[in-house]
Amino acid sequence: MVEFFIAFRHIVERKFQSIFSTLGIAIAVTVFIVSLTVSNGLGRNMINSLLTMSPHILIKHKKKNFFENYGEVVENLKKVEGVKAVIPKINSQSIIKSQGFARGVLAYGIMPDNVKNDLDLRMIAGNNNVEELNSILVGEELAKGMGLKVGQEISLVSAENNEIKLIVRGIFKTGFLEYDTNLAIVPMKTMQISADQGEVATDIWVKTINPQKVENVEKKIISNNVIPHSEYGILDWKMLNQSLLNAVRFEKFVLIAILSLLLLIASFAVSVILNMVVREKIKDIGILKSIGYTNKNIRRIFMIEGLLLGFFGMIMGSILSPIVLFVLKILFKVFMKNGTYYLEELPLYISAKELVIIYVVTVIVIFISTIFPASRAAKLKPVEALKYE
């Protein structure tokens, strides 16, 4: 307890140096938390947007592009624990024609109930009701590019060169630019008629309750023989987007490595301050040793002093971080909305686990930075310390 009071007094006596080192730690912690929060938010937003019109688990026939009797497979998949929805689908590279303009799109034929209940579409205009066979939903950017409006009649030309007249029932936005620019959704029955293949599907989508743990559901489907493995192949969204996810992980690794260097620099400032204190307190160290303080006591004083500086810096950083994030959200809305980034607001996310790791790493780095000056102070001999006093 005495060591704590001595360490605290050193901090109070040297206000400028203490504030300087505390600010260094606070800025490093703030930058770490803010950068990681923004990076996590953008990553989660990208994945959520990607999964809006992408399956958590994709099931395709190994030999046929179009397969029949998909109803039994769908019913079996619905019984698997962890499955949220099963969506049979037929897709086709098609062309949309309207007012003299033509554009290539990827047309998805999906059952009206699945469109309404299982696709997380944010409707910008109209609604997501495609009960009528002549219905079509288009992405926001596709609608802008072709000047499409709700209620407008357009033509859809399938890959089999069959042309059908459809009416735009709604305009959606997923938040993923590629989908909003190139995607159209029509009733599955309409797509089957256009493809001239009968009641068939090209693949089956499985939506899970927890996409991050999709492997658990995939294992249950495989181990329980829910689908004939000789006929159907199965892929989860992590495998389908492996390159993208690897790039995101590498980006996060580089970010954390750079931010860790910033913490090291801040801890170096603490080490320098402690070294200066040791130089100035040589006489006091000699007196303490002459009245019975051991090397361990002296070492503990300076370690506690460094850890206190780090603790105050972490508290300040924890206060500054939400303020900086709040300001960033406002600035993003003012300067970035409807700009280069396909976002309406700045997405933010950081887990409690990541916060704990940041604080633990900060404490460890600061503790390591106190070892040298504390050991240097502990090695001083009373005779040498008081020699010139």
Side-chain angles (χ1 to χ4, degrees):
M1 187 60 71
V2 177
E3 291 95 336
F4 176 85
F5 286 116
I6 295 173
F8 187 77
R9 186 174 176 180
H10 285 174
I11 293 172
V12 174
E13 283 178 354
R14 301 181 60 83
K15 291 185 177 66
F16 176 78
Q17 290 88 343
S18 299
I19 291 171
F20 175 79
S21 55
T22 301
L23 275 176
I25 296 294
I27 291 170
V29 170
T30 301
V31 172
F32 208 131
I33 293 174
V34 169
S35 300
L36 197 57
T37 301
V38 174
S39 176
N40 285 349
L42 291 171
R44 283 172 67 90
N45 180 79
M46 179 193 67
I47 290 172
N48 290 338
S49 299
L50 177 68
L51 293 179
T52 301
M53 285 303 297
S54 179
H56 300 166
I57 297 174
L58 176 66
I59 296 172
K60 292 179 72 73
H61 202 282
K62 291 181 178 180
K63 299 177 182 178
K64 302 176 184 177
N65 291 329
F66 299 93
F67 58 92
E68 300 173 342
N69 303 321
Y70 55 83
E72 184 181 350
V73 176
V74 169
E75 291 304 315
N76 290 337
L77 287 168
K78 286 180 179 179
K79 297 174 185 176
V80 178
E81 185 182 356
V83 171
K84 183 180 179 182
V86 182
I87 306 171
K89 181 177 67 70
I90 179 170
N91 56 46
S92 172
Q93 290 290 343
S94 305
I95 297 173
I96 286 181
K97 293 181 180 179
S98 176
Q99 300 174 343
F101 293 97
R103 186 164 180 173
V105 297
L106 179 60
Y108 283 174
I110 302 175
M111 292 180 179
D113 287 343
N114 291 134
V115 174
K116 192 173 183 179
N117 302 321
D118 302 324
L119 295 184
D120 188 20
L121 295 176
R122 187 157 64 89
M123 303 308 297
I124 303 298
N127 57 63
N128 60 353
N129 188 350
V130 291
E131 292 286 348
E132 298 183 40
L133 293 180
N134 65 343
S135 303
I136 186 170
L137 306 179
V138 295
E140 182 186 33
E141 297 303 316
L142 177 59
K144 285 180 182 178
M146 296 191 68
L148 303 179
K149 296 180 180 178
V150 174
Q152 184 175 335
E153 186 179 76
I154 63 172
S155 296
L156 182 73
V157 182
S158 68
E160 290 76 20
N161 203 30
N162 294 324
E163 184 172 343
I164 52 176
K165 299 290 184 181
L166 301 172
I167 296 174
V168 178
R169 304 293 181 186
I171 298 171
F172 62 82
K173 182 175 183 178
T174 64
F176 196 70
L177 186 60
E178 186 177 346
Y179 293 153
D180 293 342
T181 305
N182 302 307
L183 190 61
I185 300 172
V186 299
M188 189 170 185
K189 188 70 177 177
T190 303
M191 207 69 209
Q192 289 170 340
I193 294 170
S194 177
D196 280 337
Q197 296 288 337
E199 293 189 6
V200 295
T202 54
D203 48 66
I204 298 172
W205 285 5
V206 178
K207 296 277 187 180
T208 61
I209 295 172
N210 187 351
Q212 296 299 332
K213 295 183 178 179
V214 69
E215 301 90 352
N216 297 337
V217 178
E218 189 177 358
K219 286 177 183 177
K220 289 175 184 176
I221 293 173
I222 295 170
S223 61
N224 296 335
N225 293 317
V226 176
I227 58 173
H229 301 300
S230 59
E231 296 180 25
Y232 296 96
I234 180 169
L235 291 169
D236 61 55
W237 71 273
K238 293 181 181 180
M239 294 172 68
L240 291 168
N241 301 282
Q242 190 172 14
S243 298
L244 178 63
L245 293 176
N246 286 339
V248 171
R249 290 192 197 100
F250 181 72
E251 180 186 4
K252 189 172 181 178
F253 170 77
V254 172
L255 176 67
I256 291 173
I258 293 171
L259 295 175
S260 298
L261 289 175
L262 188 62
L263 268 179
L264 284 173
I265 294 169
S267 67
F268 179 73
V270 172
S271 182
V272 170
I273 296 296
L274 289 179
N275 270 306
M276 291 172 63
V277 173
V278 171
R279 277 176 165 275
E280 292 180 3
K281 298 294 181 180
I282 289 178
K283 175 185 173 183
D284 295 337
I285 293 169
I287 293 172
L288 287 173
K289 282 202 166 188
S290 66
I291 61 174
Y293 271 67
T294 63
N295 290 349
K296 186 178 180 181
N297 296 132
I298 301 298
R299 189 183 299 110
R300 191 180 297 158
I301 288 170
F302 289 96
M303 282 186 169
I304 291 172
E305 186 174 343
L307 290 172
L308 281 174
L309 291 172
F311 178 71
F312 294 143
M314 285 191 293
I315 292 176
M316 193 179 296
S318 300
I319 295 170
L320 286 173
S321 297
I323 297 171
V324 173
L325 289 170
F326 178 74
V327 172
L328 284 177
K329 287 200 79 166
I330 294 174
L331 291 175
F332 189 89
K333 284 185 177 180
V334 173
F335 295 106
M336 296 294 186
K337 188 177 180 181
N338 299 324
T340 306
Y341 299 99
Y342 196 57
L343 296 167
E344 292 189 352
E345 65 175 9
L346 183 64
L348 304 172
Y349 175 79
I350 189 167
S351 65
K353 180 182 177 181
E354 287 173 323
L355 281 174
V356 170
I357 290 172
I358 289 172
Y359 292 135
V360 169
V361 169
T362 303
V363 170
I364 291 171
V365 170
I366 291 170
F367 176 77
I368 292 171
S369 72
T370 64
I371 292 174
F372 175 73
S375 299
R376 183 168 170 248
K379 289 177 182 178
L380 284 173
K381 295 178 180 179
V383 176
E384 292 180 358
L386 298 171
K387 189 174 182 179
Y388 301 104
E389 299 298 331

